[in-house]
């Protein structure tokens, strides 16, 4: 659970992976070497999922790892009531 400051506009959950990423209606599906992992996003407010390629890396001194990407689950602060909030992402081997 996170405590918001007065300047907070967004809350973001992130994960780095080399897996193939597919955004689904309930979350995200990762596939790599015949294996699957589901990211079940358990929030009752609107969110947006973005996938950001990190190969080549954004900074010249970072190591280039082929296929590396960042998954971002982003929620607007105004969607939360009160001074705090949480994002729950359950990692499972079966879809919801």
């Amino acid at each position: 659970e996170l405590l918001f400051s007065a300047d907070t506009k967004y809350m973001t959950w992130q994960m780095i992976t080399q897996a193939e990423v597919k955004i689904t209606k309930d979350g995200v599906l990762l596939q790599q070497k015949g294996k699957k992992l589901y990211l079940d996003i358990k929030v009752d407010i609107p969110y947006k999922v973005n996938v950001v390629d990190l190969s080549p890396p954004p900074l010249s001194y970072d190591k280039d790892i082929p296929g590396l990407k960042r998954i971002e689950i982003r929620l607007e602060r105004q969607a939360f009531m009160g001074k705090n909030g949480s994002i729950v992402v359950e990692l499972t081997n079966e879809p919801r």
Side-chain angles (χ1 to χ4, degrees):
E1 192 162 295
L2 301 172
L3 185 61
F4 301 122
S5 75
D7 297 327
T8 303
K9 293 183 181 172
Y10 299 99
M11 195 163 84
T12 306
W13 183 95
Q14 301 180 61
M15 179 179 184
I16 305 292
T17 184
Q18 284 181 278
E20 178 184 325
V21 179
K22 180 179 178 186
I23 299 169
T24 69
K25 68 179 180 89
D26 295 319
V28 179
L29 167 62
L30 305 179
Q31 297 180 88
Q32 186 174 15
K33 298 181 181 178
K35 306 259 182 178
K36 292 181 181 180
L37 179 67
Y38 296 90
L39 307 183
D40 185 3
I41 304 167
K42 298 186 175 285
V43 295
D44 294 330
I45 58 176
Y47 60 87
K48 183 172 181 173
V49 178
N50 292 314
V51 180
V52 179
D53 288 325
L54 298 175
S55 179
L59 302 173
S60 62
Y61 53 79
D62 287 335
K63 181 178 180 180
D64 188 3
I65 301 172
L68 192 66
K69 58 196 72 74
R70 179 176 61 238
I71 301 166
E72 301 174 340
I73 300 169
R74 187 170 177 162
L75 302 97
E76 290 190 20
R77 161 60 183 106
Q78 67 188 22
F80 291 91
M81 302 298 255
K83 295 182 179 180
N84 59 14
S86 62
I87 300 174
V88 177
V89 180
E90 184 177 304
L91 285 64
T92 67
N93 62 352
E94 294 290 330
R96 176 174 9 165

